[in-house]
């Protein structure tokens, strides 16, 4: 008896920090709207607040990482420049 082979899953290429920040931002906006919706039950709203806090922490780390990456790139570019001569 031949068993069918499982279909291979295609994987996306890894994203960059900008894409991560965009996704996290959309999640933050969605979680905020759920947390502020007075028509929903308290349990759902509290779970949204928890998700909002977690996503906010991840967004903050991604933003800090992007800033550090930009600063490092500028420092590396400055190191590649020839040194300035000092005139005495």
């Amino acid at each position: 008896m031949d068993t069918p082979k499982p279909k291979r899953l295609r994987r996306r290429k890894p994203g960059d920090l900008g894409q991560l920040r965009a996704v996290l931002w959309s999640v933050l906006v969605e979680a905020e709207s759920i947390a502020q919706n007075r028509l929903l039950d308290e349990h759902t709203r509290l779970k949204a607040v928890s998700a909002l806090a977690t996503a906010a922490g991840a967004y903050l780390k991604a933003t800090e990482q992007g800033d550090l990456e930009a600063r490092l790139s500028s420092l590396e570019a400055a190191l590649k420049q020839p040194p300035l001569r000092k005139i005495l």
Side-chain angles (χ1 to χ4, degrees):
M1 212 183 246
D2 289 329
T3 58
K5 292 183 180 180
K7 192 174 185 179
R8 259 186 104 161
L9 297 176
R10 284 189 164 180
R11 294 199 175 136
R12 289 184 183 178
K13 292 181 181 179
D16 60 8
L17 283 174
Q19 291 170 327
L20 174 63
R21 287 177 49 199
V23 169
L24 287 172
W25 185 255
S26 66
V27 169
L28 284 168
V29 170
E30 180 68 23
E32 180 185 23
S33 69
I34 294 169
Q36 292 179 347
N37 187 345
R38 301 278 182 201
L39 300 175
L40 297 174
D41 63 295
E42 183 179 342
H43 180 71
T44 302
R45 291 177 53 218
L46 287 174
K47 286 181 91 172
V49 169
S50 177
L52 183 63
T54 302
Y59 183 80
L60 178 63
K61 286 182 181 180
T63 302
E64 288 173 348
Q65 184 68 30
D67 292 343
L68 286 174
E69 189 176 282
R71 291 174 61 194
L72 180 61
S73 294
S74 66
L75 285 172
E76 288 173 341
L79 285 174
K80 289 180 182 178
Q81 297 291 329
L84 298 174
R85 286 183 173 182
K86 289 185 181 181
I87 302 175
L88 299 175

